Amino acid sequence: MGSVIGDLLPIAVGVAVSPVAVIATILMLLSKRAGSTSIGFALGCLLGIFIATVLFVTLSSALSTSDNGPSATVSWIKLALGVLLLAFGVKQWRGRSGEHETPKWMQAIDEMTAVKGLGLGFALAAINPKNLLMCIAAGVSIGSASLATSGVIASVLVFTIIASSTVAIPVIGYLVSADRLREPLAKLKVWLQDNNTTVMSVLILVVGVVLIGKGIGGIF
């Protein structure tokens, strides 16, 4: 299981440092309904990552051989995911210097309820194309590793916890000590808004290269 966790770490970090989700978390923590909305958002992110990963663990298990390691199909899937992420990363990198309009859902965060926060968290974690590709990659890595049920569960949980940590930790910290975190969170939000495209494009490129390497290694 150790090698699987090693494969999952860069993918989990790629999901965790997604600036959009972190900025949304900070905006919620600075909103009128900071407590309830941010908790709903964090739960939505956890559920989205968990459900998407489990779904693709199940699908990839059906494509894997039980005695000779990952099938060629799984390796081709990893290669394809790597190429797609690489394309996303290059596209984001080229557009990093342009002006980006603030999404309407970000402008409406101040009026969001806990239920809407949960739905937004789920969508950003499981439906957002870049995160979905990384959850697919994680599910394929776990499902093709021929792990025991306990190993599969542990791997999914480790991936989910790491991938959602940058949303969950600020929410927990804010609930414990809101006054101390307001100013640091506001400064972090400004930095992420200025650098989010660069940060995300670099991470996507790294994860894409890793997956391409894993796919090529399994094919040849």
Side-chain angles (χ1 to χ4, degrees):
M1 192 179 81
S3 62
V4 176
I5 298 298
D7 289 343
L8 293 176
L9 283 177
I11 306 172
V13 171
V15 177
V17 298
S18 175
V20 174
V22 178
I23 291 171
T25 303
I26 295 171
L27 289 173
M28 288 181 187
L29 292 174
L30 299 175
S31 69
K32 297 176 183 177
R33 302 183 179 95
S36 60
T37 307
S38 62
I39 291 173
F41 183 75
L43 288 174
C45 286
L46 279 165
L47 286 172
I49 293 168
F50 180 81
I51 290 172
T53 305
V54 168
L55 174 62
F56 290 101
V57 166
T58 305
L59 292 175
S60 64
S61 295
L63 299 173
S64 301
T65 57
S66 60
D67 51 354
N68 294 320
S71 68
T73 303
V74 170
S75 297
W76 278 109
I77 291 173
K78 288 182 179 180
L79 180 59
L81 290 171
V83 170
L84 286 172
L85 284 171
L86 208 59
F88 265 118
V90 170
K91 182 180 179 182
Q92 282 207 319
W93 179 262
R94 288 179 174 176
R96 69 190 185 283
S97 58
E99 293 185 5
H100 301 281
E101 185 179 352
T102 302
K104 290 183 179 180
W105 60 263
M106 276 193 180
Q107 299 174 14
I109 278 179
D110 202 45
E111 303 299 328
M112 274 190 182
T113 62
V115 174
K116 288 182 178 179
L118 188 148
L120 177 61
F122 186 92
L124 288 179
I127 301 175
N128 177 284
K130 293 182 289 293
N131 274 11
L132 179 59
L133 285 174
M134 287 189 267
C135 286
I136 294 172
V140 169
S141 294
I142 296 169
S144 62
S146 300
L147 296 174
T149 302
S150 59
V152 171
I153 294 172
S155 297
V156 171
L157 289 177
V158 168
F159 175 77
T160 302
I161 290 169
I162 296 174
S164 61
S165 61
T166 49
V167 171
I169 290 174
V171 171
I172 294 170
Y174 189 88
L175 294 175
V176 173
S177 183
D179 293 333
R180 291 184 180 181
L181 284 179
R182 280 195 183 94
E183 186 176 348
L185 286 174
K187 291 180 179 178
L188 178 60
K189 182 195 76 172
V190 172
W191 186 87
L192 286 171
Q193 286 175 328
D194 292 339
N195 299 278
N196 74 87
T197 304
T198 301
V199 171
M200 200 64 215
S201 59
V202 170
L203 283 165
I204 290 174
L205 287 168
V206 170
V207 175
V209 170
V210 170
L211 288 173
I212 289 172
K214 293 287 183 184
I216 291 173
I219 294 168
F220 300 103

